[in-house]
């Protein structure tokens, strides 16, 4: 058999070697503590699971759902955006539930990108933006996110020839993997840039509810003109510890929402209805759940930052997201440093280069491991440092 060129063109997965090492160690019975996984360790709250269970028993939820999602879910999403961001959305035209936001992020490229078209993609960044561009036959153009610019892209530095071929602009704040945040002034600038060059904006925002010290990250949809040029992807995954249930949403520009709906209606048959009903329960539920959750991550963040500074590693303290983006010590590449920590301390971290070339020189540590594992991991890092500097 012969696979498609589009599949064969995908670059190899960068973490193959490190993951093989972790698997080998674990097979030998060694205990590897992983700071490498961005998936909440805490369970979905009971009030959501209880509703899911009753909904699963209702026969009306056993049949095909609609691709457009339950109208009640679209309304709950619109209500949540009004309560949280003071953004008004037309639930019938400006909201589309997704099978997790990754699904929509992957599919939207097929609505915009033809062969040879360019998508502007953050580097470092969540890999799906560039992979879906490649699968659709387009070319990602990487916008470096540099520490001196607060990990925001520099629109003025973008080559005119690239901008001419570009159709999509990807943004993601609070950012994975850097933990950086953006203010509405940056989104205003992005809207101006998109209008000037006839670009569509996709803002990926799954981390707005994981935030520290009382900070409330803004939505892209808050700024004037946002819905003329763009949509925002959001998700229940990180907000309600629901990564395993697969539910998210796109909101904003009605034409983009309709395009994504038309594509999806030919590929999937919607989200299992019991999960949609659980999502309504989550969105209508108490806001203090996410605040309590963030307080737990905040304690972990502070413990980890303290330890990193004790061992002389320079970290960027995140105001939001559950990631800490750390400079590797001089003399190491990100892969070499991750390998050193794995070999010598049995601690797994993610090499920054896995998120793009501009991620070289950093590793990402996630806060999604139970407190006692985090404490153990920190102890191992401190011990490693002591023996490394002997
Ligand atoms: C976790 C994550 C997603 C995907 O979330 P799902 O809704 O679970 O598909 C999207 N973008 C970024 C940056 C993420 O970190």
């Amino acid at each position: 058999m012969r696979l498609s060129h589009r599949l064969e063109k995908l670059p190899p997965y960068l973490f193959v070697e490190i993951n093989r090492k972790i698997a080998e160690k674990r097979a030998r019975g060694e205990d590897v503590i992983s700071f490498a996984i961005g998936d909440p360790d805490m369970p979905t709250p009971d009030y959501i699971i209880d509703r899911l269970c009753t909904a699963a028993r209702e026969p009306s939820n056993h049949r095909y759902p609609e691709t457009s999602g339950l109208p009640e879910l679209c309304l709950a999403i619109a209500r949540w955006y009004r309560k949280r961001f003071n953004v008004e959305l037309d639930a019938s035209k400006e909201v589309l539930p997704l099978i997790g936001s990754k699904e929509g992020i992957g599919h939207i490229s097929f609505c915009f990108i033809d062969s040879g078209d360019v998508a502007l993609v953050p580097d470092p960044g969540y890999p799906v933006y560039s992979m879906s561009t490649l699968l659709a036959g387009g070319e990602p153009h990487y916008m470096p996110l540099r520490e001196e610019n607060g990990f925001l892209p520099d629109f003025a530095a973008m080559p005119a020839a690239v901008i001419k071929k570009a159709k999509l602009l990807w943004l993601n704040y609070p950012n994975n993997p850097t933990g950086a945040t953006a203010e509405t002034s940056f989104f205003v600038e992005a809207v101006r840039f998109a209008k000037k060059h006839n670009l569509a904006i996709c803002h990926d925002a799954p981390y707005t509810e994981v935030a520290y010290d009382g900070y409330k990250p803004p939505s892209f949809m808050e700024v004037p003109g946002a819905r003329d040029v763009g949509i925002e992807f959001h998700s229940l995954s990180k907000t309600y510890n629901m990564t395993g249930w697969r539910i998210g949403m796109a909101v904003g520009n009605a034409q983009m929402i309709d395009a994504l709906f038309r594509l999806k209606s030919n590929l999937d048959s919607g989200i299992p209805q019991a999960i949609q009903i659980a999502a309504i329960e989550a969105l209508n539920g108490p806001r203090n759940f996410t605040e309590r959750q963030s307080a737990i991550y905040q304690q972990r963040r502070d413990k980890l930052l303290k330890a990193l500074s004790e061992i002389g590693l320079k970290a960027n303290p995140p105001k939001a997201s559950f990631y800490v983006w750390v400079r590797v010590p001089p003399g190491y590449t990100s892969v070499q440093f991750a390998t050193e920590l794995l070999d010598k301390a049995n601690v797994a971290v993610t090499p920054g280069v896995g998120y793009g070339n501009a991620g070289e020189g950093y590793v990402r540590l996630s806060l999604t491991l139970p407190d006692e594992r985090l404490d153990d991991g920190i102890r191992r890092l401190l011990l490693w440092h002591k023996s490394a500097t002997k």
Side-chain angles (χ1 to χ4, degrees):
M1 65 185 85
R2 291 174 302 149
L3 295 177
S4 65
H5 294 311
R6 95 173 44 82
L7 206 60
E8 285 176 338
K9 232 173 47 188
L10 289 186
Y13 187 58
L14 263 148
F15 303 133
V16 178
E17 191 54 23
I18 284 198
N19 284 344
R20 189 186 56 79
K21 260 198 164 150
I22 295 174
E24 264 177 26
K25 276 176 169 280
R26 286 187 169 151
R28 283 199 301 266
E30 289 182 48
D31 173 38
V32 176
I33 295 182
S34 181
F35 287 87
I37 299 161
D39 186 353
D41 57 298
M42 291 172 275
T44 310
D46 283 338
Y47 74 94
I48 300 172
I49 299 295
D50 290 346
R51 188 68 191 95
L52 176 63
C53 291
T54 55
R57 293 193 182 283
E58 291 162 26
S60 60
N61 295 328
H62 298 176
R63 311 186 64 197
Y64 280 125
E66 300 276 357
T67 307
S68 53
L70 287 170
E72 295 82 359
L73 174 57
C74 297
L75 283 168
I77 291 168
R79 208 177 310 122
W80 188 83
Y81 257 80
R82 185 189 309 127
K83 255 194 349 211
R84 170 61 178 88
F85 298 116
N86 202 21
V87 165
E88 290 294 332
L89 296 166
D90 179 339
S92 66
K93 296 194 189 76
E94 296 178 323
V95 175
L96 181 63
L98 300 168
I99 313 168
S101 60
K102 182 179 184 179
E103 177 262 301
I105 292 167
H107 281 143
I108 192 84
S109 292
F110 292 84
C111 302
F112 282 89
I113 301 295
D114 289 311
S115 169
D117 289 343
V118 167
L120 306 172
V121 172
D123 171 13
Y126 184 64
V128 187
Y129 317 137
S130 52
M131 293 304 146
S132 64
T133 304
L134 289 170
L135 286 171
E139 295 165 33
H141 172 79
Y142 295 101
M143 310 180 288
L145 308 184
R146 302 207 189 283
E147 192 161 346
E148 60 268 28
N149 295 333
F151 299 107
L152 300 172
D154 181 358
F155 297 132
M158 230 148 336
V162 169
I163 298 177
K164 236 177 99 180
K165 288 201 282 179
K167 292 175 85 177
L168 271 187
L169 167 61
W170 284 98
L171 298 171
N172 162 225
Y173 295 97
N175 185 258
N176 177 9
T178 67
T181 50
E183 294 314 311
T184 49
S185 56
F186 170 75
F187 293 140
V188 169
E189 198 193 319
V191 167
R192 199 181 305 132
F193 180 71
K195 286 194 170 174
K196 183 165 169 205
H197 299 291
N198 196 18
L199 304 171
I201 293 181
C202 291
H203 183 240
D204 184 20
Y207 295 103
T208 65
E209 307 316 295
V210 183
Y212 310 123
D213 307 309
Y215 176 65
K216 281 198 176 2
S219 159
F220 169 68
M221 300 315 301
E222 287 177 35
V223 306
R227 86 183 70 198
D228 300 339
V229 293
I231 56 175
E232 180 161 88
F233 291 96
H234 212 300
S235 174
L236 283 80
S237 285
K238 317 294 166 44
T239 309
Y240 300 106
N241 301 341
M242 287 177 72
T243 50
W245 301 112
R246 310 313 302 134
I247 187 155
M249 62 275 210
V251 307
N253 182 274
Q255 197 188 343
M256 292 174 74
I257 293 289
D258 180 59
L260 187 52
F261 165 74
R262 275 162 52 203
L263 182 84
K264 276 168 58 61
S265 63
N266 288 290
L267 295 170
D268 67 65
S269 299
I271 307 156
Q273 232 158 250
I275 291 174
Q276 296 190 55
I277 289 166
I280 297 170
E281 192 73 16
L283 293 165
N284 290 342
R287 208 192 118 68
N288 68 8
F289 169 74
T290 51
E291 282 161 4
R292 284 205 313 270
Q293 195 74 12
S294 289
I296 295 170
Y297 290 131
Q298 183 171 323
Q299 277 188 355
R300 296 177 182 174
R301 176 199 66 168
D302 293 343
K303 277 199 259 186
L304 182 61
L305 287 173
K306 179 164 168 283
L308 292 171
S309 117
E310 275 170 35
I311 63 179
L313 291 179
K314 194 176 161 296
N316 290 277
K319 284 200 284 183
S321 86
F322 42 57
Y323 302 114
V324 182
W325 190 236
V326 185
R327 261 200 181 283
V328 304
Y332 290 95
T333 66
S334 64
V335 169
Q336 285 167 343
F337 187 57
T339 307
E340 161 82 12
L341 292 183
L342 185 58
D343 286 345
K344 305 279 171 60
N346 267 351
V347 164
V349 302
T350 318
V353 73
Y355 301 97
N357 289 333
E360 184 50 274
Y362 296 87
V363 289
R364 191 195 76 172
L365 277 72
S366 169
L367 301 170
T368 53
L369 64 180
D371 291 316
E372 58 286 1
R373 295 292 282 169
L374 181 100
D375 292 343
D376 265 349
I378 286 175
R379 264 193 292 279
R380 291 182 188 187
L381 289 173
L382 296 174
L383 273 174
W384 162 80
H385 179 253
K386 224 164 140 187
S387 66
T389 50
K390 239 198 306 237

